[in-house]
Amino acid sequence: MSATIVVGTRKGLFLIEADHAREAFRLGEPLLPGWEIHHACIDPRDGTLFAATNSWVHGGQLHRSSDRGATWERAEGLGLPEESGLKLGATWHVKPGLADEPGVVWLGAEPACLFRSDDGGATFAPVLSLLDHPTRERWHPGAGGLICHSVTLDPDDPARLYVGISAAGVFRSDDGGGSWEPANAGTAADFLPDDPYPVVGQCVHKVRVHPARPERLWQQNHCGVYRSDDRAASWERLDGNGLPSDFGFGLALDPGDPDVAYVIPEEGAGNRVTSGGRLGVYKTADAGATWELSANGLPEPAWSVVLREAMGFDAHGVAFGTQSGFVYARTHDGPWRETARHLPPVLSVSLSTWP
Amino acid sequence: MAVVRLQSLLAQEAGTRRIEVDAATLGEALRRLPVAGLVLDEHGAVRPLVNVFVDGEREHDLAAPLAQSSVVLLVAAVAGG
C-alpha cells in the first residue's frame, strides 16, 4: 500500500510519498516554514493534516490543514488557566480520536498537560484532571522539559487512554480523561537512588497501545524496554533479552502482529547516539523474548540520533528519521531504504495513508 | 485607524504585513489581531520575545493609548540556529 511519510523537522514539515512497495519515494516542498514540528500526522478519519508547531518566539501551537498542507489554520484556545500558575510551553504530540469519536483530537504538551478538542482541532480545552493530579509535585522535567509526549488510545474502549510524561511516567484513564492512575509498576527509575521503583517519576520516552490487542502496551523508557499485557497494570522488562542498551527513544509496532516491536538503542543517557557505532534498529517478533538487529540498508558506521517521535509505522512498514536529516523506511519484511536526505534535523516521523 | 505592521512568521501567519485596527489602546489592538495568539500568551501578556514598538518607541504597557495615526511594529527577537 502506498503511504505518506509525514516528517516534522526543526525547520518545517515535509511529506514523502512512498509507493506500494516502499521502494520509490517522492519528497515534497517544505510546509510550515519557520516552525519547529515536534509531531505531525494525518487524521485517518478525514485526512486532516495536524502539526504540533513550535516557535521559541511565538510559543507552542497546533496547525491543521484540510488540503494536504496547501493552507493551514491555527487552533484557538491553547493555553492553561491563569489560576494554575502555569503557562503552555511546547506542543508535543497530537492524537486524533477513534473512528467513532468524530471531532475528538488530543494534544500533549508542556508542562505535562493534555488538551482535548471536540471540534476537529479548531479549539481545545485543558484536561484539568491531569493538570491537577495529586502526584504532580513529584514530577520532574527530563532533558526535553516536563512534557506529555505520548497519547495512546484503547481502540476498543473510548473511555480508556494513556499518556506518557517525562519524567512522571505512564498514566491510565478509564473514564475518558476524567481521572488518571499511575501505571508504572515494574518500570525502573534508576536515576532516583532512594527509590528506583517509585509510583511516579519514571522517565518514559514513548508508550504505545497495540492497536489490535489493546491490553498490550509497549514502552521505551529511559531505563529499559517494557511490555505490558494487562493494560499497564504491570510491566515486564525486555532489554536484557539481546538489546545492546536499555536506553532509546523511538518505538514502532506492527499493527498486524502484536508480538512485533522495533526500537533504536542509544549508548545511554550520557551519550545519546546509536549504540556500537552503527545505526541499528532492533526488532522482536516474539514479544520481546529475543531481539534481532535489523540494519540491512542502513549506513555503517554511524553515530546517529533518533528522537522520541521520529519513528512511525503502519500496517505495511516502519519509517524513522535522524537528527542529521535522513529518513529511512522499510516494509515489515524488507530491507531499509533511504527515502530522503539532507533535511533539517528530524523531530518526528509518522506513516499514514490519505483516506 | 491604527496600523499594525508584521514581519517574518507573524506576516506569514496573517497573510499580510499590514493590518488596520480600530483600537483605543495597544492591548486592544493586539487582541484583535488574527495572530493574537502568537503575540500574546494565554494570560494576555505579550510573549517575552516579541518586541512591541509604537510610533518608533519601545512600548511595554498594554494600556498605552493609540492615536488614529499610530503605527505599531511587532518584531520577533532574533538569534541564530
Side-chain angles (χ1 to χ4, degrees):
Chain A
M1 175 180 282
S2 60
T4 300
I5 308 172
V6 182
V7 182
T9 80
R10 205 169 294 286
K11 308 286 182 184
L13 179 70
F14 295 83
L15 302 181
I16 302 170
E17 302 299 334
D19 71 346
H20 177 79
R22 310 282 167 97
E23 294 177 351
F25 306 93
R26 183 170 53 84
L27 175 65
E29 294 295 315
L31 304 171
L32 293 170
W35 291 99
E36 293 188 12
I37 315 297
H38 284 191
H39 179 230
C41 66
I42 297 168
D43 188 334
R45 299 170 299 185
D46 61 4
T48 299
L49 178 57
F50 289 108
T53 41
N54 289 277
S55 157
W56 61 284
V57 175
H58 301 296
Q61 306 288 341
L62 181 81
H63 283 73
R64 70 188 189 283
S65 172
S66 57
D67 53 14
R68 303 192 178 195
T71 60
W72 294 88
E73 293 180 273
R74 203 174 49 256
E76 302 289 340
L78 271 181
L80 299 175
E82 196 154 10
E83 56 270 24
S84 72
L86 301 171
K87 288 187 178 181
L88 176 63
T91 54
W92 277 90
H93 186 85
V94 56
K95 181 67 177 177
L98 300 175
D100 57 356
E101 297 180 298
V104 173
V105 182
W106 301 93
L107 177 66
E110 178 191 19
C113 52
L114 179 68
F115 296 86
R116 175 180 167 131
S117 172
D118 288 296
D119 56 10
T123 62
F124 282 86
V127 175
L128 298 178
S129 55
L130 192 62
L131 204 61
D132 298 332
H133 199 274
T135 65
R136 190 176 183 91
E137 65 181 16
R138 287 182 273 158
W139 304 356
H140 300 286
L146 184 60
I147 59 175
C148 177
H149 52 65
S150 296
V151 184
T152 187
L153 310 179
D154 185 326
D156 290 347
D157 185 351
R160 183 174 296 116
L161 67 158
Y162 307 79
V163 294
I165 298 172
S166 296
V170 175
F171 294 79
R172 186 184 72 215
S173 176
D174 294 323
D175 56 5
S179 62
W180 300 87
E181 289 296 325
N184 303 301
T187 59
D190 296 340
F191 45 84
L192 298 175
D194 294 336
D195 183 6
Y197 289 92
V199 174
V200 298
Q202 282 84 348
C203 189
V204 54
H205 285 175
K206 179 53 69 180
V207 60
R208 297 187 189 276
V209 171
H210 193 279
R213 186 173 164 181
E215 70 274 20
R216 171 167 287 181
L217 289 87
W218 292 84
Q219 177 183 163
Q220 171 69 67
N221 191 292
H222 190 107
C223 306
V225 175
Y226 301 86
R227 191 195 76 248
S228 171
D229 287 335
D230 54 10
R231 296 186 172 86
S234 64
W235 295 90
E236 179 182 351
R237 189 164 183 168
L238 307 168
D239 47 286
N241 302 342
L243 292 177
S245 162
D246 63 353
F247 191 89
F249 286 94
L251 171 64
L253 307 179
D254 178 350
D257 187 343
D259 289 341
V260 169
Y262 302 81
V263 295
I264 305 178
E266 297 188 353
E267 289 198 352
N271 191 29
R272 299 179 179 200
V273 297
T274 48
S275 297
R278 69 185 311 158
L279 179 46
V281 180
Y282 284 75
K283 177 181 179 179
T284 179
D286 53 14
T290 61
W291 297 88
E292 181 182 350
L293 176 65
S294 163
N296 183 8
L298 297 179
E300 187 181 5
W303 294 266
S304 295
V305 180
V306 180
L307 297 178
R308 78 175 75 249
E309 203 66 76
M311 195 177 195
F313 64 94
D314 67 2
H316 298 273
V318 183
F320 72 91
T322 70
Q323 280 269 52
S324 49
F326 287 73
V327 179
Y328 301 93
R330 57 168 282 183
T331 63
H332 285 295
D333 298 320
W336 291 101
R337 298 181 188 280
E338 181 185 297
T339 76
R341 58 169 58 189
H342 306 315
L343 299 183
V346 174
L347 306 182
S348 74
V349 171
S350 65
L351 261 174
S352 303
T353 301
W354 298 103
Chain B
M1 290 201 288
V3 170
V4 180
R5 303 186 71 89
L6 308 173
Q7 300 182 341
S8 61
L9 201 52
L10 290 178
Q12 174 183 306
E13 288 288 311
T16 180
R17 302 180 70 85
R18 181 181 187 279
I19 296 175
E20 291 188 357
V21 182
D22 186 8
T25 67
L26 175 60
E28 279 184 39
L30 298 182
R31 287 190 290 272
R32 290 178 181 174
L33 294 175
V35 290
L38 305 183
V39 176
L40 304 170
D41 69 23
E42 65 262 59
H43 305 158
V46 176
R47 294 184 181 275
L49 297 178
V50 175
N51 300 311
V52 182
F53 296 83
V54 176
D55 297 327
E57 298 292 329
R58 183 78 181 271
E59 181 59 75
H60 297 280
D61 183 5
L62 290 177
L66 293 184
Q68 289 289 311
S69 59
S70 289
V71 175
V72 178
L73 177 62
L74 301 178
V75 182
V78 177

